[in-house]
Amino acid sequence: MEVTRDTAWETLTRYTKSESLLRHALAVEASTRFYARKLGEDEELWGSVALLHDFDYEKHPTLDKHPQDGAPILREEGYPEVLIDAVLSHAEHLELPRDTPLKRTLFACDELSGFVHACGLVRPTGLDGLEPKSVKKKLKQPSFAAGVHRDEVYAGAELLGLELDEHIANVIAALQPIAGELGLRSAADAA
Ligand SMILES: [Fe+2]
Ligand SMILES: [Fe+2]
């Protein structure tokens, strides 16, 4: 089968109904696509991997099942191994090698996209004017977006070979165009 955003979105929304999980998928997609564009890679494939990386989370909310039990479902749906392999690699507990730029990017975008999203949600202007340094400050407050694994955020930037500031700035830029879909306000709303 040909992997397109439409097929990935159709699969995702068949298994995932929660708004927050769909927003997470969209945020990781936007960040992963940003890097695909930057690196001249296959944006449609990378974006689809990102959309589907947690597709089975509602069905399999525990780590003894997610994402490993989602893989046979994706296989059944006809997705190629390159996509399934990348989806599986985002899970720390599976300890799979992140041996391609796609796998490294997915991992690096997963936690940070959620964190930047959370930063935008508590600001009256959303992501507008959000600076990497204030994101870094919030990373040091354990109570803020406590579910986000800080060590994975730092490891992700390192895996991409980027300074954390640059990676954060990229993710902010990637999420800005879909701020509305993510439920974020903008400077225009605050005015
Ligand atoms: Fe996951
Ligand atoms: Fe995720």
Side-chain angles (χ1 to χ4, degrees), residues 170-189:
N170 287 342
V171 168
I172 294 171
L175 298 192
Q176 230 143 10
I178 61 156
E181 287 170 81
L182 298 179
L184 295 165
R185 286 169 298 213
S186 69
D189 300 323

Side-chain angles (χ1 to χ4, degrees), residues 17-61:
K17 305 296 172 197
S18 128
E19 185 177 58
S20 65
L21 262 178
L22 290 173
R23 283 177 172 171
H24 173 62
L26 288 170
V28 180
E29 179 203 18
S31 303
T32 303
R33 275 179 174 268
F34 179 98
Y35 280 107
R37 259 194 315 275
K38 192 164 172 271
L39 300 170
E41 297 279 355
D42 183 343
E43 215 181 306
E44 200 80 357
L45 172 69
W46 285 36
S48 299
V49 165
L51 277 178
L52 289 170
H53 82 282
D54 281 337
F55 92 99
D56 67 327
Y57 196 75
E58 255 177 47
K59 194 178 167 72
H60 305 139

Side-chain angles (χ1 to χ4, degrees), residues 28 42 65 91 107 131 136 153 169:
V28 180
D42 183 343
K65 293 202 162 74
F107 176 73
E131 298 282 346
K136 286 203 295 191
V153 170

Side-chain angles (χ1 to χ4, degrees), residues 56-79:
D56 67 327
Y57 196 75
E58 255 177 47
K59 194 178 167 72
H60 305 139
T62 53
L63 293 183
D64 60 324
K65 293 202 162 74
H66 167 74
Q68 55 272 35
D69 288 6
I73 300 175
L74 294 175
R75 211 163 276 134
E76 182 101 334
E77 301 255 341
Y79 286 100

